[in-house]
Amino acid sequence: MPVVVPALSVPAAGAAFERTTIERRDLRGHDVRIEIAYAGICHSDIHQARAEWGAGLFPMVPGHEIAGVVSEVGPEVTRFAVGDRVGVGCFVDSCRECENCLAGEEQFCSRGMVATYNGKFYDGERTFGGYSTQIVVDEAYTLRIPDGLELDVAAPLLCAGITTYSPLRHYGVGPGSRVAIVGMGGLGHMAVQIAHAMGAEVTVLSQSLSKEADGRRLGADHYFATSDPATFRELRRSFDLVLSTVSADLDLDAYLGLLRLDGSFVFVGLPEQPQTFGVFALVGARRSLAGSNIGGIAETQEMLDFCAEHGIGSVIETIKADEVGDAYDRVVASDVRYRFVIDTTTI
Ligand code: NAP
Ligand code: ZN
Ligand code: ZN
Protein backbone atom coordinates (compact mmCIF):
# COMPACT_ATOMS: atom_id res chain seq x y z
CA MET A 1 0.00 0.00 0.00
CA PRO A 2 1.30 3.50 -0.80
CA VAL A 3 2.01 5.63 2.26
CA VAL A 4 0.10 8.90 2.72
CA VAL A 5 2.36 11.72 3.92
CA PRO A 6 1.96 15.46 4.61
CA ALA A 7 3.18 17.94 1.98
CA LEU A 8 3.03 21.60 1.02
CA SER A 9 1.40 22.09 -2.34
CA VAL A 10 0.51 24.86 -4.75
CA PRO A 11 -3.01 24.06 -6.02
CA ALA A 12 -2.79 26.26 -9.13
CA ALA A 13 -0.22 28.51 -10.84
CA GLY A 14 0.79 31.34 -8.51
CA ALA A 15 -1.63 30.29 -5.76
CA ALA A 16 -0.68 30.27 -2.07
CA PHE A 17 0.77 27.13 -0.52
CA GLU A 18 -1.60 24.85 1.33
CA ARG A 19 -1.06 21.83 3.53
CA THR A 20 -2.12 18.61 1.86
CA THR A 21 -1.25 14.92 1.72
CA ILE A 22 0.36 12.92 -1.09
CA GLU A 23 1.06 9.25 -1.66
CA ARG A 24 4.55 7.78 -1.74
CA ARG A 25 4.77 4.49 -3.57
CA ASP A 26 5.45 1.07 -2.08
CA LEU A 27 9.14 0.24 -2.12
CA ARG A 28 10.30 -1.46 -5.29
CA GLY A 29 13.46 -3.60 -5.29
CA HIS A 30 15.96 -0.75 -5.56
CA ASP A 31 13.96 1.96 -3.74
CA VAL A 32 14.92 3.72 -0.54
CA ARG A 33 12.42 5.51 1.68
CA ILE A 34 13.82 8.79 2.97
CA GLU A 35 12.54 10.77 5.95
CA ILE A 36 13.15 14.30 4.68
CA ALA A 37 14.73 16.64 7.22
CA TYR A 38 15.28 19.76 5.10
CA ALA A 39 14.30 21.04 1.67
CA GLY A 40 15.98 24.07 0.12
CA ILE A 41 14.05 26.71 -1.81
CA CYS A 42 15.56 27.15 -5.28
CA HIS A 43 14.53 30.04 -7.51
CA SER A 44 13.49 27.36 -10.02
CA ASP A 45 10.80 26.28 -7.51
CA ILE A 46 9.34 29.77 -7.73
CA HIS A 47 9.52 29.88 -11.55
CA GLN A 48 7.60 26.59 -11.71
CA ALA A 49 5.10 27.22 -8.89
CA ARG A 50 4.20 30.47 -10.67
CA ALA A 51 4.15 28.76 -14.11
CA GLU A 52 6.77 31.18 -15.44
CA TRP A 53 8.26 28.42 -17.61
CA GLY A 54 4.94 27.48 -19.18
CA ALA A 55 2.06 25.47 -17.78
CA GLY A 56 3.07 23.33 -14.82
CA LEU A 57 1.45 20.24 -13.35
CA PHE A 58 -0.82 21.28 -10.48
CA PRO A 59 -1.27 20.66 -7.64
CA MET A 60 2.52 20.91 -7.40
CA VAL A 61 4.76 19.96 -4.48
CA PRO A 62 8.09 21.67 -5.26
CA GLY A 63 11.51 20.89 -3.82
CA HIS A 64 14.64 19.43 -5.41
CA GLU A 65 17.19 20.20 -2.72
CA ILE A 66 16.39 17.35 -0.37
CA ALA A 67 18.36 16.07 2.62
CA GLY A 68 17.25 13.37 5.03
CA VAL A 69 17.79 9.93 6.48
CA VAL A 70 17.01 6.50 5.01
CA SER A 71 14.19 4.83 6.98
CA GLU A 72 13.58 1.70 4.88
CA VAL A 73 15.22 -0.04 1.93
CA GLY A 74 13.86 -2.30 -0.79
CA PRO A 75 15.02 -5.96 -0.98
CA GLU A 76 17.55 -5.36 -3.77
CA VAL A 77 19.16 -2.20 -2.40
CA THR A 78 22.93 -2.56 -2.10
CA ARG A 79 24.28 0.97 -1.64
CA PHE A 80 22.26 2.27 1.32
CA ALA A 81 21.09 1.12 4.73
CA VAL A 82 18.59 2.41 7.27
CA GLY A 83 20.06 5.41 9.07
CA ASP A 84 22.22 6.63 6.17
CA ARG A 85 22.27 10.39 5.56
CA VAL A 86 21.23 11.02 1.98
CA GLY A 87 20.21 13.63 -0.53
CA VAL A 88 18.03 13.88 -3.64
CA GLY A 89 18.49 16.52 -6.31
CA CYS A 90 16.65 17.63 -9.44
CA PHE A 91 15.82 14.26 -10.99
CA VAL A 92 14.76 10.84 -9.73
CA ASP A 93 15.13 8.69 -12.85
CA SER A 94 16.41 8.71 -16.42
CA CYS A 95 16.41 6.15 -19.25
CA ARG A 96 19.78 4.68 -18.11
CA GLU A 97 20.66 3.54 -21.64
CA CYS A 98 21.14 6.57 -23.90
CA GLU A 99 24.68 7.78 -24.59
CA ASN A 100 24.32 10.65 -22.13
CA CYS A 101 23.04 8.44 -19.31
CA LEU A 102 25.82 5.95 -19.97
CA ALA A 103 28.33 8.81 -19.82
CA GLY A 104 27.02 9.83 -16.39
CA GLU A 105 25.30 12.93 -17.80
CA GLU A 106 21.79 11.83 -16.84
CA GLN A 107 20.65 15.45 -16.66
CA PHE A 108 20.87 15.46 -20.46
CA CYS A 109 19.09 12.10 -20.91
CA SER A 110 17.89 11.79 -24.53
CA ARG A 111 14.52 10.48 -23.37
CA GLY A 112 14.24 13.30 -20.86
CA MET A 113 15.15 12.82 -17.21
CA VAL A 114 12.34 12.46 -14.69
CA ALA A 115 12.22 15.71 -12.72
CA THR A 116 11.89 15.35 -8.94
CA TYR A 117 8.64 17.35 -9.12
CA ASN A 118 6.46 18.93 -11.78
CA GLY A 119 7.19 15.86 -13.87
CA LYS A 120 6.09 12.32 -14.60
CA PHE A 121 7.76 8.95 -14.35
CA TYR A 122 7.92 7.02 -17.61
CA ASP A 123 4.82 5.07 -16.52
CA GLY A 124 2.89 8.33 -16.25
CA GLU A 125 2.89 8.61 -12.44
CA ARG A 126 3.26 12.21 -11.22
CA THR A 127 6.35 13.26 -9.26
CA PHE A 128 6.14 15.29 -6.06
CA GLY A 129 9.16 17.02 -4.52
CA GLY A 130 10.81 17.71 -1.21
CA TYR A 131 8.34 20.07 0.49
CA SER A 132 7.12 16.94 2.20
CA THR A 133 8.10 14.67 5.05
CA GLN A 134 9.08 11.62 3.03
CA ILE A 135 10.11 10.55 -0.46
CA VAL A 136 10.75 7.20 -2.17
CA VAL A 137 13.63 7.20 -4.67
CA ASP A 138 15.59 4.57 -6.59
CA GLU A 139 19.01 4.14 -4.98
CA ALA A 140 20.70 4.96 -8.30
CA TYR A 141 19.37 8.54 -8.00
CA THR A 142 20.11 8.91 -4.28
CA LEU A 143 23.26 10.67 -3.05
CA ARG A 144 25.28 10.07 0.08
CA ILE A 145 25.80 13.10 2.32
CA PRO A 146 29.31 12.80 3.75
CA ASP A 147 30.01 12.95 7.47
CA GLY A 148 30.96 16.46 8.44
CA LEU A 149 28.22 18.09 6.34
CA GLU A 150 25.13 18.92 8.37
CA LEU A 151 21.88 18.04 6.61
CA ASP A 152 20.53 21.61 6.64
CA VAL A 153 23.54 23.22 4.95
CA ALA A 154 23.89 20.21 2.63
CA ALA A 155 20.35 20.36 1.21
CA PRO A 156 21.02 23.32 -1.15
CA LEU A 157 24.09 21.58 -2.53
CA LEU A 158 21.75 19.13 -4.32
CA CYS A 159 20.84 21.87 -6.81
CA ALA A 160 22.71 25.13 -6.14
CA GLY A 161 25.93 23.25 -5.38
CA ILE A 162 25.98 20.91 -8.38
CA THR A 163 24.66 23.54 -10.80
CA THR A 164 27.70 25.69 -10.14
CA TYR A 165 30.26 22.92 -9.52
CA SER A 166 29.54 21.24 -12.87
CA PRO A 167 30.40 24.16 -15.20
CA LEU A 168 33.36 25.18 -13.03
CA ARG A 169 34.75 21.65 -13.51
CA HIS A 170 33.73 21.40 -17.16
CA TYR A 171 35.58 24.61 -18.04
CA GLY A 172 38.69 23.44 -16.19
CA VAL A 173 38.71 25.99 -13.40
CA GLY A 174 41.74 25.68 -11.14
CA PRO A 175 44.71 27.62 -9.85
CA GLY A 176 45.40 30.54 -12.20
CA SER A 177 41.82 30.71 -13.54
CA ARG A 178 40.09 34.04 -13.39
CA VAL A 179 36.40 33.52 -12.77
CA ALA A 180 33.53 35.98 -12.43
CA ILE A 181 30.28 35.01 -10.76
CA VAL A 182 27.26 37.13 -11.75
CA GLY A 183 24.71 37.35 -8.91
CA MET A 184 25.27 36.64 -5.21
CA GLY A 185 22.15 34.58 -4.53
CA GLY A 186 21.59 30.89 -3.83
CA LEU A 187 23.62 29.66 -6.79
CA GLY A 188 26.06 32.56 -6.72
CA HIS A 189 27.17 32.16 -3.12
CA MET A 190 27.88 28.46 -3.79
CA ALA A 191 29.79 29.30 -6.97
CA VAL A 192 32.02 31.72 -5.05
CA GLN A 193 32.91 29.12 -2.43
CA ILE A 194 33.49 26.29 -4.91
CA ALA A 195 35.54 28.35 -7.39
CA HIS A 196 37.65 29.65 -4.51
CA ALA A 197 38.22 26.10 -3.22
CA MET A 198 39.26 25.04 -6.73
CA GLY A 199 42.00 27.67 -6.54
CA ALA A 200 40.57 30.30 -8.90
CA GLU A 201 40.82 34.07 -8.53
CA VAL A 202 37.16 34.92 -7.95
CA THR A 203 35.30 38.12 -8.74
CA VAL A 204 31.65 38.74 -7.84
CA LEU A 205 29.56 40.91 -10.14
CA SER A 206 26.52 41.91 -8.09
CA GLN A 207 23.93 44.59 -8.65
CA SER A 208 25.31 46.53 -5.67
CA LEU A 209 28.07 46.31 -3.08
CA SER A 210 25.62 45.50 -0.25
CA LYS A 211 26.78 41.88 0.06
CA GLU A 212 30.49 42.55 -0.45
CA ALA A 213 31.59 41.58 3.08
CA ASP A 214 29.78 38.23 2.78
CA GLY A 215 31.22 37.63 -0.67
CA ARG A 216 34.76 38.20 0.51
CA ARG A 217 34.22 36.01 3.56
CA LEU A 218 33.05 33.20 1.25
CA GLY A 219 36.17 33.48 -0.89
CA ALA A 220 35.76 36.33 -3.40
CA ASP A 221 39.00 38.17 -4.15
CA HIS A 222 37.21 41.08 -5.82
CA TYR A 223 33.67 42.44 -5.72
CA PHE A 224 32.12 44.88 -8.20
CA ALA A 225 28.70 46.47 -8.72
CA THR A 226 27.19 45.97 -12.18
CA SER A 227 25.08 49.10 -11.61
CA ASP A 228 28.33 51.10 -12.00
CA PRO A 229 29.23 51.41 -15.71
CA ALA A 230 32.91 51.83 -14.73
CA THR A 231 32.90 48.14 -13.72
CA PHE A 232 32.59 47.01 -17.33
CA ARG A 233 35.38 49.35 -18.49
CA GLU A 234 37.72 48.37 -15.66
CA LEU A 235 37.21 44.62 -16.05
CA ARG A 236 37.37 44.46 -19.85
CA ARG A 237 39.13 41.28 -21.10
CA SER A 238 39.70 40.03 -17.52
CA PHE A 239 38.10 36.58 -17.18
CA ASP A 240 38.47 33.03 -18.46
CA LEU A 241 34.94 32.23 -17.32
CA VAL A 242 31.91 34.35 -16.50
CA LEU A 243 29.17 32.28 -14.84
CA SER A 244 25.76 33.94 -14.77
CA THR A 245 23.38 32.87 -12.03
CA VAL A 246 20.76 35.56 -12.66
CA SER A 247 17.37 35.13 -14.27
CA ALA A 248 17.05 38.79 -15.31
CA ASP A 249 17.81 40.04 -18.82
CA LEU A 250 21.50 40.90 -19.23
CA ASP A 251 23.42 43.23 -21.55
CA LEU A 252 25.33 40.33 -23.06
CA ASP A 253 27.63 42.52 -25.16
CA ALA A 254 28.87 44.17 -21.98
CA TYR A 255 29.44 40.81 -20.27
CA LEU A 256 31.11 39.19 -23.31
CA GLY A 257 33.55 42.11 -23.32
CA LEU A 258 34.77 40.95 -19.91
CA LEU A 259 36.21 37.72 -21.38
CA ARG A 260 39.83 37.19 -22.33
CA LEU A 261 40.92 35.29 -25.44
CA ASP A 262 39.07 31.93 -25.50
CA GLY A 263 36.97 32.89 -22.51
CA SER A 264 33.46 31.52 -21.98
CA PHE A 265 30.27 33.09 -20.73
CA VAL A 266 28.07 30.36 -19.26
CA PHE A 267 24.42 30.69 -18.33
CA VAL A 268 23.04 28.69 -15.44
CA GLY A 269 20.52 31.38 -14.52
CA LEU A 270 17.50 31.19 -16.81
CA PRO A 271 16.08 34.46 -18.17
CA GLU A 272 12.49 33.97 -19.36
CA GLN A 273 12.93 36.02 -22.53
CA PRO A 274 15.28 35.38 -25.47
CA GLN A 275 18.59 37.23 -25.04
CA THR A 276 20.52 38.98 -27.84
CA PHE A 277 24.18 39.71 -28.46
CA GLY A 278 26.47 40.95 -31.21
CA VAL A 279 28.46 38.19 -32.92
CA PHE A 280 31.46 40.52 -33.23
CA ALA A 281 32.01 40.17 -29.47
CA LEU A 282 32.50 36.41 -29.90
CA VAL A 283 34.56 36.49 -33.07
CA GLY A 284 36.88 39.23 -31.81
CA ALA A 285 38.42 37.06 -29.07
CA ARG A 286 37.35 33.49 -29.96
CA ARG A 287 34.86 33.65 -27.10
CA SER A 288 32.12 31.12 -26.34
CA LEU A 289 28.58 31.64 -25.15
CA ALA A 290 27.22 28.56 -23.43
CA GLY A 291 24.81 27.08 -20.91
CA SER A 292 24.91 24.35 -18.28
CA ASN A 293 22.23 22.34 -16.49
CA ILE A 294 22.70 20.87 -12.99
CA GLY A 295 25.02 17.80 -13.13
CA GLY A 296 25.01 14.01 -13.33
CA ILE A 297 24.67 11.65 -10.38
CA ALA A 298 28.36 10.70 -10.14
CA GLU A 299 29.39 14.33 -10.45
CA THR A 300 26.87 15.33 -7.76
CA GLN A 301 28.46 12.79 -5.39
CA GLU A 302 31.89 14.16 -6.33
CA MET A 303 30.64 17.68 -5.52
CA LEU A 304 29.26 16.61 -2.12
CA ASP A 305 32.58 14.95 -1.26
CA PHE A 306 34.47 18.03 -2.48
CA CYS A 307 32.33 20.31 -0.31
CA ALA A 308 32.82 18.11 2.76
CA GLU A 309 36.57 18.00 2.17
CA HIS A 310 36.76 21.79 1.85
CA GLY A 311 34.30 22.60 4.63
CA ILE A 312 31.83 24.17 2.22
CA GLY A 313 28.12 24.38 2.97
CA SER A 314 25.30 26.66 1.98
CA VAL A 315 24.67 29.78 4.04
CA ILE A 316 21.07 29.26 5.08
CA GLU A 317 18.06 30.73 6.80
CA THR A 318 15.89 27.94 8.18
CA ILE A 319 12.14 28.50 8.00
CA LYS A 320 8.93 26.74 8.97
CA ALA A 321 6.27 25.46 6.59
CA ASP A 322 3.98 28.48 7.06
CA GLU A 323 6.80 30.88 6.06
CA VAL A 324 7.35 29.47 2.56
CA GLY A 325 5.08 31.99 0.79
CA ASP A 326 6.90 34.94 2.39
CA ALA A 327 10.25 33.33 1.61
CA TYR A 328 9.29 33.14 -2.09
CA ASP A 329 8.60 36.90 -2.11
CA ARG A 330 11.92 37.56 -0.41
CA VAL A 331 13.86 35.44 -2.92
CA VAL A 332 12.25 37.36 -5.80
CA ALA A 333 13.25 40.62 -4.07
CA SER A 334 16.88 39.35 -3.74
CA ASP A 335 16.35 39.49 0.02
CA VAL A 336 17.86 36.13 0.94
CA ARG A 337 21.21 35.36 2.53
CA TYR A 338 21.66 32.99 0.84
CA ARG A 339 19.26 30.05 0.75
CA PHE A 340 15.98 29.40 2.54
CA VAL A 341 15.75 25.87 3.87
CA ILE A 342 12.43 24.44 5.07
CA ASP A 343 12.46 22.44 8.30
CA THR A 344 10.16 19.73 6.95
CA THR A 345 9.20 18.53 10.42
CA THR A 346 6.93 21.63 10.49
CA ILE A 347 4.89 20.47 7.48
P1 NAP B 1 18.43 33.69 -6.36
O1 NAP B 1 18.82 33.15 -5.03
O2 NAP B 1 17.21 34.54 -6.48
O3 NAP B 1 19.71 34.46 -6.95
C1 NAP B 1 19.67 35.18 -8.15
C2 NAP B 1 20.54 36.43 -8.00
O4 NAP B 1 20.41 37.14 -9.22
C3 NAP B 1 20.08 37.40 -6.94
O5 NAP B 1 20.55 37.11 -5.66
C4 NAP B 1 20.68 38.70 -7.45
O6 NAP B 1 22.04 38.79 -7.05
C5 NAP B 1 20.65 38.52 -8.96
N1 NAP B 1 19.56 39.31 -9.55
C6 NAP B 1 18.26 39.32 -9.18
N2 NAP B 1 17.57 40.20 -9.92
C7 NAP B 1 18.44 40.74 -10.78
C8 NAP B 1 18.33 41.73 -11.79
N3 NAP B 1 17.15 42.33 -12.07
N4 NAP B 1 19.45 42.04 -12.50
C9 NAP B 1 20.63 41.45 -12.22
N5 NAP B 1 20.80 40.52 -11.25
C10 NAP B 1 19.71 40.17 -10.55
O7 NAP B 1 18.18 32.50 -7.40
P2 NAP B 1 18.91 31.09 -7.53
O8 NAP B 1 18.14 30.07 -6.79
O9 NAP B 1 20.36 31.27 -7.29
O10 NAP B 1 18.64 30.76 -9.07
C11 NAP B 1 19.15 31.65 -10.07
C12 NAP B 1 18.68 31.24 -11.44
O11 NAP B 1 19.26 29.99 -11.78
C13 NAP B 1 17.17 31.03 -11.59
O12 NAP B 1 16.82 31.48 -12.89
C14 NAP B 1 17.01 29.54 -11.51
O13 NAP B 1 15.84 29.09 -12.13
C15 NAP B 1 18.24 29.11 -12.25
N6 NAP B 1 18.70 27.73 -11.99
C16 NAP B 1 19.27 27.07 -13.03
C17 NAP B 1 19.78 25.80 -12.83
C18 NAP B 1 20.45 25.09 -13.96
O14 NAP B 1 20.72 23.90 -13.83
N7 NAP B 1 20.78 25.74 -15.04
C19 NAP B 1 19.70 25.20 -11.57
C20 NAP B 1 19.14 25.94 -10.52
C21 NAP B 1 18.65 27.20 -10.74
P3 NAP B 1 22.71 40.20 -6.63
O15 NAP B 1 21.80 40.78 -5.59
O16 NAP B 1 24.04 39.83 -6.15
O17 NAP B 1 22.76 41.04 -7.88
ZN1 ZN C 1 17.19 24.24 -8.36
ZN1 ZN D 1 19.06 8.55 -20.94
Side-chain angles (χ1 to χ4, degrees):
M1 288 285 287
V3 179
V4 176
V5 298
L8 282 180
S9 94
V10 182
F17 276 93
E18 58 184 35
R19 283 186 156 83
T20 186
T21 56
I22 53 172
E23 288 187 351
R24 295 302 192 186
R25 67 172 180 249
D26 261 349
L27 293 192
R28 298 175 190 149
H30 284 281
D31 280 346
V32 296
R33 191 182 303 283
I34 301 165
E35 296 304 317
I36 301 171
Y38 298 98
I41 294 179
C42 176
H43 207 125
S44 302
D45 298 349
I46 302 173
H47 290 308
Q48 292 175 86
R50 296 182 175 176
E52 292 167 355
W53 291 345
L57 298 173
F58 294 94
M60 183 187 297
V61 176
H64 59 207
E65 294 185 336
I66 300 169
V69 177
V70 174
S71 61
E72 192 184 352
V73 297
E76 291 159 55
V77 168
T78 57
R79 298 180 49 235
F80 296 99
V82 171
D84 284 355
R85 302 157 75 250
V86 293
V88 180
C90 297
F91 54 95
V92 288
D93 202 1
S94 66
C95 85
R96 310 177 192 213
E97 56 191 28
C98 73
E99 62 177 341
N100 296 342
C101 282
L102 293 176
E105 306 265 28
E106 300 92 344
Q107 74 276 29
F108 301 119
C109 174
S110 305
R111 190 174 172 187
M113 45 93 161
V114 176
T116 302
Y117 69 87
N118 192 23
K120 287 182 179 170
F121 288 99
Y122 298 130
D123 66 4
E125 182 196 337
R126 288 273 310 275
T127 58
F128 295 107
Y131 298 8
S132 169
T133 59
Q134 189 190 99
I135 190 167
V136 173
V137 181
D138 188 297
E139 64 173 331
Y141 297 82
T142 303
L143 287 309
R144 187 173 299 282
I145 296 180
D147 293 340
L149 265 183
E150 296 299 329
L151 292 181
D152 53 357
V153 302
L157 303 182
L158 276 304
C159 177
I162 184 59
T163 298
T164 50
Y165 180 91
S166 183
L168 292 169
R169 262 280 178 270
H170 184 78
Y171 287 90
V173 168
S177 306
R178 295 196 217 158
V179 174
I181 307 301
V182 187
M184 252 289 279
L187 266 54
H189 92 290
M190 290 310 311
V192 169
Q193 295 183 79
I194 293 168
H196 173 71
M198 288 175 173
E201 182 179 339
V202 182
T203 299
V204 173
L205 302 175
S206 180
Q207 294 168 94
S208 75
L209 298 180
S210 65
K211 295 178 270 192
E212 179 173 2
D214 291 345
R216 289 185 181 274
R217 188 172 52 77
L218 295 175
D221 301 288
H222 316 283
Y223 203 104
F224 288 86
T226 52
S227 53
D228 181 355
T231 292
F232 291 92
R233 285 197 299 275
E234 199 173 321
L235 297 178
R236 223 179 133 61
R237 294 180 181 269
S238 291
F239 303 108
D240 303 299
L241 179 68
V242 175
L243 184 64
S244 171
T245 72
V246 313
S247 49
D249 297 337
L250 292 178
D251 177 353
L252 280 184
D253 293 319
Y255 283 91
L256 289 172
L258 303 181
L259 295 170
R260 303 163 78 188
L261 181 66
D262 288 327
S264 300
F265 179 102
V266 179
F267 283 105
V268 286
L270 290 157
E272 279 170 55
Q273 301 302 323
Q275 306 292 296
T276 59
F277 65 96
V279 174
F280 280 80
L282 295 182
V283 168
R286 206 163 51 199
R287 294 166 172 136
S288 300
L289 181 59
S292 185
N293 189 33
I294 42 178
I297 292 294
E299 190 177 39
T300 303
Q301 190 62 61
E302 179 188 303
M303 175 277 307
L304 287 167
D305 296 343
F306 178 91
C307 287
E309 186 185 323
H310 291 272
I312 294 173
S314 181
V315 177
I316 59 166
E317 188 174 328
T318 306
I319 59 166
K320 296 186 171 64
D322 56 14
E323 297 171 302
V324 173
D326 290 342
Y328 271 33
D329 293 338
R330 285 183 54 195
V331 172
V332 171
S334 294
D335 177 23
V336 50
R337 296 189 179 205
Y338 284 85
R339 203 55 143 187
F340 288 112
V341 170
I342 306 165
D343 171 356
T344 54
T345 61
T346 63
I347 293 175

